Amino acid sequence: MFLKTLCYNCATWRVNPKELINRAIHSNEPKYFGEQKHRVHEVILFFTRLGLRPITLAALRYSYKSTGYSPIGFGYFTTALLKEERVLKIYEFSTRNSEYDQKMLVGSLRERLEIAQRYIRPYLADTTVDIIPHPISGKNCVALTQAHVDGKPLTKRPYAKYLTPPQKENFAKLLEQARTMLDETEYLLDVNGHNMIARNDSVVVVDTILMGKVDVKMRPITLKILNSEVDYLKR
């Protein structure tokens, strides 16, 4: 038990869960929160785990071994777990937040999901947002649930270069709607690698939570990728 707890903490520990949940909740409100940069120690912690990805995933798999869930990935905010063709994306740090903050995060995530559904529903993986018991600790946490999407993750740019003609056609429609959504709402689809999957004749978005203007400012590469993919498709 001690070893599992140690592995879990090493793979998921975040220094300031209050700041993280505020950033997630208020990602489209720079006047409220986001003009400040991410704390350096949080960024270093995340990129250390990313650089040690095989070790991080091994620690997560050991931690979740008795739960029936298999960790398949992780991001800045969430850990992705697979069980019986369902994917659970857990905001690990939310177990350390208050019930009020958890409900605020759920409201923010649902709002962004609804905006995405309004513009790009045909391309979105079906997603729900809830507060659930954590599979390991049993404490309440915020989590997304999705059906598992089989296919080829878009990782090598330009993404469109490696798609079939039908996939490329649907990808162009997706990006066109994503640009419209950005212009009208200031929310951006996260088009970074692994967030979209080529499947059959289309492309499925598995990162269904949109980036707010704070995120866009802090990660300008995302908008650059979107624009470069649109330009490539116009050639």
Side-chain angles (χ1 to χ4, degrees), residues 78-195:
T78 62
T79 300
L81 312 170
L82 178 63
K83 182 179 182 180
E84 298 175 354
E85 297 305 309
R86 302 294 292 177
V87 175
L88 192 65
K89 297 181 179 178
I90 296 180
Y91 287 75
E92 299 279 5
F93 62 84
S94 66
T95 59
R96 297 162 58 199
N97 295 121
S98 68
E99 180 182 358
Y100 173 80
D101 283 340
Q102 289 174 350
K103 289 180 178 178
M104 288 289 289
L105 177 56
V106 168
S108 175
L109 297 175
R110 285 177 176 169
E111 178 184 21
R112 281 179 271 170
L113 182 58
E114 288 169 2
I115 292 171
Q117 289 170 338
R118 195 157 70 237
Y119 286 88
I120 56 175
R121 180 185 290 273
Y123 306 100
L124 287 180
D126 185 38
T127 306
T128 58
V129 185
D130 293 290
I131 296 173
I132 65 169
H134 193 281
I136 294 176
S137 68
K139 296 178 181 179
N140 281 348
C141 65
V142 177
L144 312 177
T145 304
Q146 294 178 342
H148 183 240
V149 179
D150 288 317
K152 182 179 179 181
L154 305 189
T155 56
K156 191 173 180 180
R157 300 200 302 264
Y159 303 138
K161 180 179 179 180
Y162 303 96
L163 299 176
T164 66
Q167 289 171 347
K168 192 177 294 186
E169 181 179 349
N170 276 294
F171 188 48
K173 293 177 182 177
L174 166 62
L175 297 185
E176 181 182 355
Q177 285 300 104
R179 288 275 290 267
T180 300
M181 179 173 64
L182 176 63
D183 292 341
E184 295 181 357
T185 70
E186 297 189 273
Y187 282 103
L188 176 64
L189 177 67
D190 191 345
V191 292
N192 285 284
H194 295 279
N195 290 337

Side-chain angles (χ1 to χ4, degrees), residues 7-24:
C7 286
Y8 175 77
N9 287 338
C10 289
T12 65
W13 181 259
R14 304 304 295 268
V15 179
N16 193 331
K18 181 64 175 179
E19 179 180 299
L20 287 169
I21 206 164
N22 276 340
R23 189 173 294 282

Side-chain angles (χ1 to χ4, degrees), residues 13-70:
W13 181 259
R14 304 304 295 268
V15 179
N16 193 331
K18 181 64 175 179
E19 179 180 299
L20 287 169
I21 206 164
N22 276 340
R23 189 173 294 282
I25 291 170
H26 300 289
S27 68
N28 212 40
E29 304 174 54
K31 289 182 180 179
Y32 177 88
F33 184 73
E35 294 298 343
Q36 61 182 293
K37 299 293 185 182
H38 286 280
R39 289 183 186 269
V40 173
H41 51 252
E42 287 283 10
V43 175
I44 292 174
L45 189 59
F46 171 68
F47 278 103
T48 298
R49 288 178 181 140
L50 203 60
L52 300 173
R53 183 180 177 85
I55 297 174
T56 304
L57 282 174
L60 285 169
R61 287 170 182 145
Y62 182 73
S63 304
Y64 277 95
K65 189 175 181 179
S66 61
T67 67
Y69 287 96
S70 175

